[in-house]
C-alpha cells in the first residue's frame, strides 16, 4: 500500500562522502561550495596547504572582525568552487559552534549550493571530529526543505556533502539520525493546520509506524470516554468532529519486552485558538506550532529507532485542536480526569496541561523507567528564558545540574525551574481537587509543571520540557528556520552522553 501522506515528508537526499587528507584537485572539482574552518589564529604552515593560501591569508587580514564566514572567494578551478573561510575559536561552547555552523551554511546557500565541502583544518583530531559533526548537523538542517505550497519550483539546496581533510574517518550515524529526527519534527510542526489536521496526523503516524516497525495504537473518542479521560476530552470537545485522539507508538528493539525503559509524551494541539477564552490575532497567528511537542517526541523516537538503540520506548501523543463553538469546554466546567482527580476549569487557553494530564496518567500506567514530556505549554516560559532556551522541570532534584549540563554540551540549552508542593498552594480549589491554572499568580510555567506533576506517578523519574525554544525568528544554534525542532538533539544527548537511563536513582 502506498502511503500518500508519509511520502510527502522529504527523505533527506543528502549523500555524505568522507575523504582523508587535504582535498586533491579532482575532489575540489566536485565541490560547488567549500567551507574551510580554521582556528582563530591559523599556524603559518596552513597557508601552504590551503588552496590560494597566500591570497586567503591576505584577505583574512582585511576581514571585519567577528564576521562569519571571515571571507568568501573563489578557486580558479574549472568548477569555480566558492571558498568560504571561517575562523573558529575551538574554546567556544557547543551552542556558539553550532551557530557558527548555521552562518557558514547560510553563506554556502546564498547561491545554488549543490555539492558542499566541509574542511576542518588545523585542529587536533578530537576537535576536528566534534567541529565536523557540528558543521554536518548544520548542513543537514540547512539542506532540508520545510513544506512549501508555491506554484514555482523549489530552490535547489544541497545534494551532497563532502567531508575532506580528515585525520581519520568519523562515524556520522548519530549526527544523521539526530538530524533526521529534527527534520521530521520541524516538518510536522511547520505543516499548516488544515494540511495536517488531527485525522491526517493520526494517519501519518500510522504510516510512520509501519515504515519503522513501531506498534501503533489509536485511542479514539469512544475509547477515551470509556477510560474516563475527561481532561483530554474537555479540550477535544471543541474539535469539529471525532478526529481527536491519543496515539501510542511503541519501539521495541527486541520482542516481548513489556515495560518501556523510556516514555516520551508530546502535546499535539493541531491549532490553539485559545478556545472560549479566544486568543487575540498576534498570539493566535503562530498557534499551528502547538503540536511541536508531539513532533519532537516522534522525531526523537525516530532517531532512537534508526540508531537501533537497545531501549524499549513508548511514545504518547495527545492530538486535538483547541477551538471555540457550542460544544467547547468553558471556564468553570468541572472536569474529572482519568486519574480520578477533579479539575476546576479556569481558562480554556490552558488546554495543554488538560490534554497532557490524562496522557501522562496513561503513560505512567506502563511503569516506564524514565518519563519525558515536551510541550509548547506556556507563554510565561518564553517570557522567563526567551526563545533561546527551553524550560526544564523534574520531580527529581538531582537531575537539575544534569539537565543543564546536557544542554550546554549539546547546544540545545534548557534552564531548570522549581515546581511542586510549595506552588500547589496556588492551584487549590474550593470545589475540585485542583484548579487548572492561576493566571494572576505569576510564574505560569511553574504552575503548569506543578499541575502536570499531580498526574505523574511519583516513583517514575520525570522531566518536563516547556518548549519555549520551539520557534525563534532567524533560527537557533545550527537550525536556520524559525521552527527549530528543539528537543530531539537534547534528548539524544541525555540518553547517549549523560546516560540518564542507566540505573541511577536520581533520588
Ligand atoms: N500554546 C500556548 C502557549 C504558547 C504561547 C506557546 C506562545 C508558544 C507560544 C498555551 O496553550 C497557552 O495558551 N497558554 C496560556 C496559559 C494561560 C491562559 C494560563 C498562556 O501562556 O497565555
Ligand atoms: Mn492555549
Ligand atoms: Zn496551547
Amino acid at each position: 500500500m502506498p502511503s500518500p501522506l508519509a511520502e510527502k515528508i522529504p527523505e533527506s537526499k543528502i549523500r555524505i562522502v568522507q575523504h582523508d587528507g587535504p582535498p586533491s584537485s579532482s575532489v575540489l572539482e566536485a565541490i560547488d561550495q567549500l567551507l574551510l574552518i580554521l582556528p582563530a589564529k591559523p599556524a603559518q604552515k596552513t597557508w601552504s596547504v590551503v588552496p590560494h593560501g597566500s591570497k586567503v591569508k591576505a584577505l583574512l587580514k582585511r576581514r571585519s572582525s567577528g564576521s562569519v564566514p571571515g571571507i568568501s572567494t573563489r578557486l580558479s578551478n574549472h568548477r569555480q568552487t566558492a571558498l568560504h573561510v571561517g575562523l573558529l575559536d575551538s574554546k567556544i561552547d557547543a551552542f556558539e559552534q553550532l551557530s557558527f555552523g548555521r552562518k557558514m551554511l547560510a553563506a554556502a546557500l546564498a547561491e545554488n549550493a549543490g555539492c558542499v565541502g566541509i574542511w576542518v583544518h588545523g585542529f587536533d583530531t578530537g576537535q576536528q571530529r566534534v567541529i565536523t559533526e557540528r558543521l554536518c548537523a548544520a548542513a543537514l538542517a540547512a539542506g532540508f526543505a520545510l513544506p512549501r505550497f508555491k506554484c514555482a519550483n523549489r530552490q535547489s539546496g544541497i545534494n551532497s556533502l563532502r567531508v575532506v581533510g580528515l585525520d581519520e574517518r568519523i562515524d556520522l550515524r548519530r549526527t544523521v539520525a539526530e538530524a533526521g529526527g529534527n527534520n521530521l519534527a520541524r516538518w510536522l510542526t511547520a505543516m499548516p493546520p488544515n494540511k495536517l489536521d488531527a485525522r491526517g496526523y493520526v494517519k501519518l503516524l500510522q504510516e510512520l509506524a509501519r515504515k519503522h516497525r513501531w506498534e501503533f495504537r489509536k485511542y479514539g473518542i469512544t475509547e477515551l470516554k470509556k477510560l474516563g479521560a475527561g481532561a483530554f476530552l474537555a479540550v477535544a470537545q471543541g474539535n469539529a468532529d471525532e478526529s481527536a485522539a491519543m496515539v501510542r507508538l511503541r519501539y521495541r528493539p527486541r520482542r516481548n519486552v513489556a515495560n518501556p525503559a523510556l516514555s516520551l509524551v508530546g502535546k499535539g494541539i493541531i491549532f490553539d485558538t485559545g478556545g472560549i477564552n479566544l486568543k487575540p490575532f498576534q498570539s493566535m497567528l503562530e498557534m499551528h506550532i502547538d503540536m511541536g511537542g508531539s513532533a519532537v517526541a516522534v522525531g526523537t523516537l525516530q532517531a532512537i529507532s534508526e540508531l537501533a538503540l537497545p531501549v524499549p520506548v513508548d511514545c504518547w501523543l495527545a492530538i486535538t485542536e483547541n477551538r471555540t463553538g457550542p460544544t467547547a469546554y468553558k471556564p468553570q466546567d468541572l472536569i474529572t480526569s482519568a486519574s480520578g482527580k477533579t479539575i476546576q476549569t479556569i481558562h480554556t487557553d490552558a488546554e495543554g496541561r488538560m490534554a497532557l494530564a490524562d496522557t501522562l496518567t496513561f503513560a505512567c500506567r506502563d511503569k516506564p523507567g524514565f518519563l519525558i514530556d515536551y510541550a509548547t505549554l506556556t507563554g510565561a516560559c518564553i517570557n522567563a528564558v526567551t526563545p533561546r532556551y527551553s524550560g526544564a522541570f523534574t520531580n527529581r532534584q538531582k537531575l537539575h545540574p544534569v539537565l543543564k549540563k546536557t544542554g550546554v554540551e549539546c547546544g540545545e540549552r534548557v534552564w531548570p525551574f522549581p515546581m511542586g508542593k510549595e506552588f500547589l498552594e496556588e492551584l487549590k480549589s474550593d470545589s475540585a481537587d485542583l484548579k487548572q491554572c492561576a493566571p494572576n499568580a505569576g510564574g505560569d510555567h511553574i504552575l503548569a509543571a506543578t499541575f502536570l506533576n499531580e498526574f505523574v506517578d511519583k516513583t517514575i523519574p520525570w522531566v518536563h520540557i516547556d518548549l519555549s525554544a520551539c520557534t525563534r525568528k532567524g533560527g537557533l544554534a545550527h537550525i536556520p528556520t524559525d521552527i527549530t525542532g528543539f528537543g530531539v538533539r537534547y534528548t539524544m544527548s541525555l540518553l547517549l552522553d549523560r546516560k540518564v537511563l542507566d540505573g541511577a536513582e536520581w533520588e
Side-chain angles (χ1 to χ4, degrees), residues 21-92:
S24 65
S25 53
S26 69
V27 168
L28 289 175
E29 204 54 68
I31 296 174
D32 295 296
Q33 301 280 327
L34 178 59
L35 305 179
L36 172 62
I37 290 90
L38 299 173
K41 292 199 175 62
Q44 197 51 38
K45 61 183 185 220
T46 306
W47 310 118
S48 60
V49 183
V50 167
H52 305 298
S54 48
K55 178 173 139 192
V56 168
K57 183 182 174 189
L59 287 173
L60 278 171
K61 278 219 171 97
R62 285 201 239 146
R63 79 181 194 284
S64 48
S65 77
S67 64
V68 179
I71 61 136
S72 296
T73 179
R74 269 183 209 283
L75 304 186
S76 54
N77 58 356
H78 184 69
R79 190 100 170 201
Q80 289 287 297
T81 301
L83 174 66
H84 306 279
V85 185
L87 298 182
L88 180 73
D89 178 352
S90 63
K91 284 192 207 67
I92 64 175

Side-chain angles (χ1 to χ4, degrees), residues 109-185:
L109 279 154
E111 52 186 74
N112 200 348
C115 174
V116 171
I118 292 175
W119 184 6
V120 178
H121 180 78
F123 299 87
D124 69 40
T125 304
Q127 285 170 344
Q128 182 187 56
R129 179 177 56 78
V130 172
I131 297 166
T132 303
E133 284 168 357
R134 289 174 178 157
L135 262 292
C136 285
L140 293 169
F144 181 78
L146 290 185
R148 274 175 36 134
F149 303 86
K150 299 193 190 199
C151 293
N153 283 338
R154 327 190 134 255
Q155 78 278 35
S156 35
I158 302 171
N159 308 324
S160 63
L161 276 182
R162 295 224 175 194
V163 184
V164 302
L166 287 173
D167 296 347
E168 55 187 37
R169 289 183 69 84
I170 305 177
D171 184 351
L172 286 168
R173 278 177 300 181
R174 176 172 166 189
T175 302
V176 170
E178 288 178 357
N182 172 279
N183 289 344
L184 174 62

Side-chain angles (χ1 to χ4, degrees), residues 234-235 237-239 269 271-280 284 287 290 321-325 328-331 347-351:
V235 183
Q237 264 168 234
N239 234 37
I269 301 295
F271 194 83
D272 181 9
T273 67
I276 298 287
N277 296 113
L278 198 63
K279 283 181 188 290
M284 199 194 296
M287 278 302 116
D290 214 20
E321 298 188 352
N322 184 32
R323 297 282 291 268
T324 61
Y329 84 130
K330 307 172 293 301
H347 197 306
T348 60
D349 202 5
E351 85 296 341

Side-chain angles (χ1 to χ4, degrees), residues 295-362:
V296 167
V298 177
T300 304
L301 187 71
Q302 180 180 282
I304 290 171
S305 161
E306 281 194 347
L307 291 172
L309 296 189
V311 270
V313 183
D314 282 5
C315 182
W316 287 84
L317 312 163
I319 300 169
T320 177
E321 298 188 352
N322 184 32
R323 297 282 291 268
T324 61
T327 58
Y329 84 130
K330 307 172 293 301
Q332 296 304 352
D333 276 359
L334 192 285
I335 306 298
T336 306
S337 68
S339 72
K341 287 190 179 164
T342 55
I343 303 162
Q344 180 189 7
T345 307
I346 301 293
H347 197 306
T348 60
D349 202 5
E351 85 296 341
R353 65 201 78 179
M354 300 293 279
L356 286 178
D358 287 340
T359 317
L360 287 166
T361 297
F362 291 155

